[in-house]
Amino acid sequence: MLKVAVLVSGGGSNLQSILDYGQETFKVEMVIGSKECIYGLERAKNAGVPTYVVSRKEYGNETSNKILELTRGKVDLIVLAGYLSILDGEILREFKDKIINIHPSLIPSFCGDKMYGMHVHNAVKNSGVRFTGCTVHFVNEEVDGGAIILQEVVPVYFEDTAEDIQKRVLVEEHKLLPKAIDLISKGKIEIIDGRVNILK
């Protein structure tokens, strides 16, 4: 059984999709919030999952080290589910190829520094692209630069607001993130030359 830590910064709807997936191949061992009083932590408590708060305000440059302290030896995979801080330092080495993130666009488009949340959907709307989507990828030292695991495409319509795009993408995020965890738990993901191969 794959042991998972989920990191959240807000409402935790992606966390809920993981909790609802049916944990036969993996188990959420802990949820770590980036601040107090976010609904994601309530979702975890409602599911009986232990919660912790590691805020950048309190820990500053030691934030990633504190998360490593909480997760080391206790989980096999760290999942960033709408987590807005950037992990750095030792945790990226100890959990190499064992940290995944969901990003609300089709990487390598609309990603990288300062591209998160509604910034992404506004950029998508303003660009005039006809399609966007979401990406689950491994986390490394480069922001949104790790190997891509899964992607899903959604259409963008001329009359869409950024909020319309966000809602459409979120529907797919809620399917894609638990699916990626499930594939990892079943040993079906391998990284070859920086690309992910999904085994049958």
Side-chain angles (χ1 to χ4, degrees), residues 57-81:
K57 193 174 177 183
E58 183 178 355
Y59 290 98
N61 292 335
E62 289 298 307
T63 299
S64 292
N65 289 334
K66 180 63 181 174
I67 293 168
L68 176 57
E69 188 184 306
L70 289 169
T71 54
R72 180 187 275 141
K74 296 189 182 76
V75 300
D76 309 303
L77 182 72
I78 296 173
V79 177
L80 311 185

Side-chain angles (χ1 to χ4, degrees), residues 22-68:
Q23 296 178 43
E24 291 170 13
T25 57
F26 62 85
K27 182 172 188 287
V28 178
E29 291 286 327
M30 66 178 76
V31 172
I32 301 172
S34 61
K35 57 188 174 186
E36 301 274 4
C37 303
I38 53 175
Y39 192 59
L41 293 173
E42 288 303 309
R43 291 181 191 270
K45 287 170 187 168
N46 292 340
V49 177
T51 61
Y52 304 88
V53 174
V54 180
S55 72
R56 198 161 281 281
K57 193 174 177 183
E58 183 178 355
Y59 290 98
N61 292 335
E62 289 298 307
T63 299
S64 292
N65 289 334
K66 180 63 181 174
I67 293 168
L68 176 57

Side-chain angles (χ1 to χ4, degrees), residues 101-107 109-110 115-118 120-121 124 132-135 144 165-166 169-170 173:
N101 180 50
I102 182 102
H103 183 77
S105 77
L106 296 173
I107 291 175
S109 296
F110 307 107
M115 272 290 173
Y116 60 88
M118 293 307 296
V120 175
H121 304 302
V124 165
T132 185
C134 51
T135 304
D144 299 328
I165 298 166
Q166 179 194 38
V169 169
L170 207 52
E173 286 184 37

Side-chain angles (χ1 to χ4, degrees), residues 83-168:
Y83 183 72
L84 297 180
S85 280
I86 304 295
L87 295 180
D88 55 23
E90 188 60 31
I91 195 168
L92 296 179
R93 290 184 282 279
E94 285 207 29
F95 279 88
K96 180 174 166 52
D97 301 333
K98 291 177 181 171
I99 307 175
I100 66 171
N101 180 50
I102 182 102
H103 183 77
S105 77
L106 296 173
I107 291 175
S109 296
F110 307 107
C111 67
D113 192 36
K114 297 193 172 56
M115 272 290 173
Y116 60 88
M118 293 307 296
H119 296 295
V120 175
H121 304 302
N122 277 307
V124 165
K125 178 183 181 301
N126 294 335
S127 73
V129 294
R130 297 292 190 259
F131 295 94
T132 185
C134 51
T135 304
V136 181
H137 65 94
F138 284 105
V139 172
N140 61 12
E141 288 81 3
E142 182 188 345
V143 178
D144 299 328
I148 291 167
I149 303 167
L150 294 170
Q151 291 185 305
E152 193 56 65
V153 177
V154 301
V156 179
Y157 303 113
F158 184 79
E159 60 276 10
D160 277 344
T161 63
E163 288 76 15
D164 293 330
I165 298 166
Q166 179 194 38
K167 284 176 191 165
R168 202 173 296 128

